[in-house]
Amino acid sequence: MKGIVLAGGAGTRLHPATLAVSKQLLPVYDKPMVYYPLSVLMLAGVREVMLVSTPHDLPLFRRLLGDGAQWGIRIAYAEQDRPRGIAHALVLAEAFLEGGPSMLVLGDNVFHGHDLDRRLAEGRQTGAGAAVFAYRVSDPERYGVVEFDREGRALSLEEKPSRPRSDWAVTGLYFYDGEAPSLARALAPSARGELEVTDLNRVYLERGLLRVSQLGRGYAWLDTGTHDSLLEAGEFVRAIEKRTGQKVAAPEEVAWRMGFITDAELLAAAAPLRSSGYGRYLERLLQRAP
């Protein structure tokens, strides 16, 4: 399975902070926002990733992330010249995916949970079809909303409904089979001229091939698309890290724990980051290892 990080868009809800730089390059507490979705892909065992962004921001992402070799992964890049919808990222990545399954994550989403790796493994076992996660929110009108029956089966999907049928929002994490790029290309653009991921998911739902799993208590899903939600995400990450002494979404740590890089490579990654404390944290991982 290959991964896609969609880090495009204009970030208008975060203006003026994002007038000159992509929102996915803004910090969420102590690390760039894009580290969080990238770490989720790595935690799921994905080692080949395509990052989709704007022509203006791609050079900055390349400068930050490089080719991914420092984390034992490979990162490719694709240009999305203007906002064309989440599903459009699958069209751009079609050649990269080579007909295989994909895991798509939005660049401004933060996920956290004590056994998140297990839930990600469930998503990877989709086979034919697609899998998404739903999370209960207080403002479902901002999201794609899924309606469930009494047995917990998905009945309907709506994009930003004025009268939501439930308070379960579809998170920015999607698992698709190899048919997704062609299905996305066949979608009719929405009123705002975009290929909507909710429309793609609805195609799978109507075919009986969409699995929707609920992320309940014990998990956190944070959308950092507004000033308030960005601040809240930073405060959340700070609280977790201060309380536990463990970093949230440090790609170097994830790569090391997943076996993508060696002890020596972890030390090499830590060395230029020592002055911020981030590097010293990575060095301590080896000291604590059994």
Side-chain angles (χ1 to χ4, degrees):
M1 177 173 282
K2 296 182 180 181
I4 305 168
V5 177
L6 178 55
T12 54
R13 290 183 298 167
L14 284 169
H15 282 178
T18 52
L19 284 173
V21 66
S22 167
K23 66 179 177 180
Q24 291 87 3
L25 291 169
L26 296 178
V28 177
Y29 183 49
D30 59 348
K31 60 191 75 69
M33 188 186 298
V34 72
Y35 275 23
Y36 294 86
L38 185 60
S39 293
V40 168
L41 291 177
M42 295 167 64
L43 190 62
V46 173
R47 301 187 68 170
E48 293 185 69
V49 178
M50 172 171 280
L51 184 138
V52 178
S53 191
T54 67
H56 175 270
D57 293 311
L58 276 178
L60 299 176
F61 282 107
R62 286 193 175 98
R63 180 179 178 185
L64 174 67
L65 306 175
D67 63 4
Q70 71 276 24
W71 300 319
I73 64 175
R74 288 190 293 174
I75 301 177
Y77 297 89
E79 178 182 304
Q80 190 180 56
D81 59 349
R82 61 179 176 82
R84 294 179 181 269
I86 296 171
H88 183 252
L90 290 158
V91 177
L92 290 174
E94 185 167 16
F96 168 76
L97 296 174
E98 300 179 306
S102 59
M103 178 179 173
L104 168 62
V105 60
L106 302 188
D108 61 355
N109 278 210
V110 176
F111 294 87
H112 184 71
H114 72 283
D115 61 350
L116 182 59
D117 55 343
R118 180 179 63 82
R119 302 304 301 271
L120 295 174
E122 292 173 5
R124 287 199 60 161
Q125 296 170 8
T126 301
V132 298
F133 292 107
Y135 191 85
R136 181 165 271 148
V137 297
S138 60
D139 52 353
E141 62 279 356
R142 288 181 53 206
Y143 305 99
V145 174
V146 57
E147 176 190 14
F148 294 101
D149 65 15
R150 292 182 178 180
E151 283 71 45
R153 295 186 295 259
L155 290 176
S156 68
L157 290 167
E158 292 182 282
E159 179 66 19
K160 296 182 175 64
S162 57
R163 295 183 179 180
R165 296 182 181 180
S166 82
D167 55 2
W168 287 96
V170 177
T171 73
L173 180 59
Y174 317 88
F175 296 85
Y176 294 111
D177 62 15
E179 198 176 355
S182 60
L183 292 176
R185 189 185 303 104
L187 295 174
S190 65
R192 59 180 181 171
E194 298 187 6
L195 300 182
E196 304 289 353
V197 72
T198 297
D199 290 341
L200 175 61
N201 292 337
R202 192 179 293 114
V203 171
Y204 280 102
L205 178 63
E206 291 170 352
R207 293 183 174 189
L209 293 174
L210 179 69
R211 182 157 50 90
V212 185
S213 300
Q214 296 178 352
L215 291 179
R217 295 180 183 272
Y219 296 93
W221 169 54
L222 301 142
D223 173 4
T224 58
T226 68
H227 293 291
D228 284 342
S229 60
L230 178 59
L231 178 60
E232 289 166 1
E235 291 173 338
F236 173 83
V237 171
R238 180 183 184 277
I240 295 293
E241 294 188 356
K242 291 293 184 181
R243 180 68 173 175
T244 67
Q246 297 177 307
K247 293 291 184 188
V248 176
E252 299 85 357
E253 179 179 7
V254 177
W256 176 67
R257 294 193 183 280
M258 294 294 294
F260 297 173
I261 62 173
T262 65
D263 291 1
E265 289 170 324
L266 178 63
L267 281 176
L273 303 171
R274 294 192 83 252
S275 61
S276 69
Y278 188 96
R280 291 193 295 275
Y281 168 80
L282 298 177
E283 292 171 342
R284 286 196 298 272
L285 293 175
L286 294 173
Q287 298 168 7
R288 297 170 182 169

